[in-house]
Amino acid sequence: MPATTFDAIIIGSGQAGNPLATALAGAGRKVALIEENRLGGSCINYGCSPTKTLIATAERLHQLRTAAQVAAPETAHAADLRVDLGAAVARKDRVVAAMREGVRANLTKKQPNITLFEGHAAFTGPHALHVALATGRTQGLTAPLIFINTGTRAAIPDVDGLADVGYLSTTQLLDLKELPEHLIILGGGYIGLEFGQMFRRFGSRVTVVESGPQLLEREDDDVCRGLQDALGAEGVEFVLNARAHSVSRSPSGTITVSATTSTGERRLRGSHLLVATGRTPNSDKLGLGFAGVKTDEKGYIPVNNNLQTNVKGVYALGDIHPGPQFTHLAYDDYRVVRDALLHGRKRSARDRPLPYVMFTDPPMARIGLDEGQAQDKNVPYRVATMPVRTIGRAQHTSEARGFWKVLVGKDDRLLGATLLGPEAGEIMAVIEVAMAGRLKYQQLQEMIFAHPTWAEGLNNVFRDLKKGGK
């Protein structure tokens, strides 16, 4: 069958690919969009949306169980509430299905210039692809512009016996209908901690095994300690400095993780094992060699400031290129390319603001530099830290765990902030806007915020600025 020519081909319907397809089609370009799995990419199908939906269920259960702290003693029986995991998963599935159907409708019913191909794509040349369709047919496609938006999958560590025990990826755990008795999690990063607290609140015993000396290797020590204390108070167990070297399953189904720790050999036994040790790019089956597209030693596709690969006309968007892996950055990749191709405005994808939130309870939010980064880059700074319990709203709600930490430069402008506490992501957004507007910290310190809100804490957090450094 002869190849069909398009103006642009997009491989992967993630948070960069979908809006780009819509924008190009709206500008009159003939667009082919190829998706091998489910429309919407990782965020909608097995990332942000399903995870945060289940976390919301766990949080609601926790609020009901702890209602006696702020209500009449008669509510104490709520402490016995248990999750119906099957019902929680069914609700998650309904949320995800509605979002996925919305994506399909937008791409197919509202955009006559978009042709959707459901199947696996592989390059046969710099601007040519072969698509093995789900129907069993094949289709050749060509275009002067090709955008790779194929994302990542779970990285599986090299641990003896792991492949034989029936471990769970985060995708599989999201569909589990029966509550694990004891969930062991390999990996104390953002994903491991969110899932750990979630399943602890669902009722599982949870043990997090982390190879490093602390959780969240990219965060300041005080943030890691604060999160470990908060989750530990709810019963999540942590084994740090522990390198898992073998995994086995007994005839009765018990999983044993053997790990070398700083205090000697540990054997951890549980009913289920979640592997949350990072991600690896989906670049190995794209036939990139036929196109001449280069990858780095980890399989990611390097790009320039405009998200172009080493091959002219071929771009890499989202998690498939090196750098932080966040949905909002993938969406901004779309905006960088859209502006360059359709509006004649070029801006760099380098050194963009990097806001992110971890949806534990208390949540953790970051924008700009933290202390470790400022010290590594030799950036002079002053730092102030304020306990959340001093904010009036915390006293009203009894949500008093955590602290806010802000960094200020020599010119009195904000360098960054790390917030651990209720509504951390929303407060971080206020700080990000102030940073974008290059406001000096005194303007936030003197600003009138409605009382009593969490944002009101911005009047006080800068009160005790001290010179930072080692």
Side-chain angles (χ1 to χ4, degrees), residues 380-384 406-410 412 441 465-468:
Y381 70 94
R382 287 167 290 162
V383 61
V406 293
L407 274 64
V408 172
K410 291 191 298 183
D412 287 346
Y441 79 86
L465 282 172
K466 299 175 182 178
K467 184 177 180 181

Side-chain angles (χ1 to χ4, degrees), residues 168-212:
L168 297 168
S169 67
T170 53
T171 304
Q172 293 165 321
L173 190 60
L174 286 169
D175 292 330
L176 206 62
K177 304 288 195 307
E178 296 181 3
L179 190 66
E181 178 185 351
H182 182 187
L183 177 64
I184 298 175
I185 300 176
L186 291 185
Y190 309 102
I191 295 174
L193 295 186
E194 285 187 351
F195 274 88
Q197 185 178 47
M198 180 203 308
F199 274 86
R200 178 63 190 144
R201 288 181 167 184
F202 283 161
S204 299
R205 179 184 171 191
V206 175
T207 301
V208 176
V209 181
E210 168 56 39
S211 60

Side-chain angles (χ1 to χ4, degrees), residues 73-90:
E74 288 75 13
T75 62
H77 67 277
D80 299 325
L81 285 171
R82 293 184 60 82
V83 69
D84 181 340
L85 191 56
V89 170

Side-chain angles (χ1 to χ4, degrees), residues 84-354:
D84 181 340
L85 191 56
V89 170
R91 172 179 172 268
K92 177 264 297 181
D93 289 343
R94 290 193 297 273
V95 171
V96 171
M99 298 180 76
R100 191 186 302 137
E101 182 53 38
V103 170
R104 180 177 292 277
N106 183 63
L107 292 172
T108 58
K109 297 178 182 179
K110 300 179 181 180
Q111 302 293 341
N113 286 336
I114 296 176
T115 302
L116 177 62
F117 295 92
E118 298 189 65
H120 175 75
F123 283 91
T124 57
H127 296 95
L129 294 167
H130 171 275
V131 183
L133 297 168
T135 60
R137 296 172 49 247
T138 61
Q139 177 69 55
L141 306 176
T142 63
L145 294 174
I146 298 180
F147 304 90
I148 305 170
N149 183 218
T150 52
T152 62
R153 61 183 183 273
I156 307 303
D158 184 14
V159 176
D160 185 41
L162 182 61
D164 303 321
V165 300
Y167 67 85
L168 297 168
S169 67
T170 53
T171 304
Q172 293 165 321
L173 190 60
L174 286 169
D175 292 330
L176 206 62
K177 304 288 195 307
E178 296 181 3
L179 190 66
E181 178 185 351
H182 182 187
L183 177 64
I184 298 175
I185 300 176
L186 291 185
Y190 309 102
I191 295 174
L193 295 186
E194 285 187 351
F195 274 88
Q197 185 178 47
M198 180 203 308
F199 274 86
R200 178 63 190 144
R201 288 181 167 184
F202 283 161
S204 299
R205 179 184 171 191
V206 175
T207 301
V208 176
V209 181
E210 168 56 39
S211 60
Q214 67 176 32
L215 306 172
L216 304 176
E217 61 179 353
R218 294 182 178 86
E219 306 300 334
D220 286 339
D221 293 351
D222 51 359
V223 176
C224 300
R225 288 193 301 269
L227 274 166
Q228 185 172 342
D229 290 345
L231 272 62
E234 294 188 21
V236 178
E237 303 168 89
F238 296 96
V239 183
L240 304 180
N241 269 325
R243 295 195 172 274
H245 59 78
S246 67
V247 181
S248 62
R249 182 186 288 274
S250 71
S252 64
T254 299
I255 293 175
T256 300
V257 177
S258 298
T260 302
T261 75
S262 56
T263 58
E265 185 76 3
R266 289 285 302 272
R267 287 183 173 82
L268 306 165
R269 294 176 175 83
S271 59
H272 295 72
L273 176 63
L274 170 65
V275 175
T277 53
R279 310 288 296 178
T280 191
N282 292 321
S283 61
D284 49 336
K285 297 180 181 179
L286 293 176
L288 296 178
F290 292 102
V293 175
K294 295 180 179 178
T295 60
D296 65 15
E297 67 280 0
K298 295 182 179 180
Y300 292 98
I301 303 175
V303 292
N304 63 15
N305 292 349
N306 303 313
L307 300 169
Q308 297 165 318
T309 71
N310 64 295
V311 175
K312 185 178 180 180
V314 179
Y315 295 71
L317 311 177
D319 296 351
I320 196 69
H321 65 67
Q325 298 178 2
F326 294 108
T327 294
H328 41 284
L329 283 188
Y331 186 78
D332 196 57
D333 282 357
Y334 142 68
R335 290 186 291 214
V336 169
V337 173
R338 175 205 63 192
D339 288 352
L341 294 179
L342 299 182
H343 305 313
R345 298 194 303 264
K346 288 192 176 182
R347 63 182 179 90
S348 175
R350 301 270 190 255
D351 299 322
R352 294 176 286 186
L354 177 57

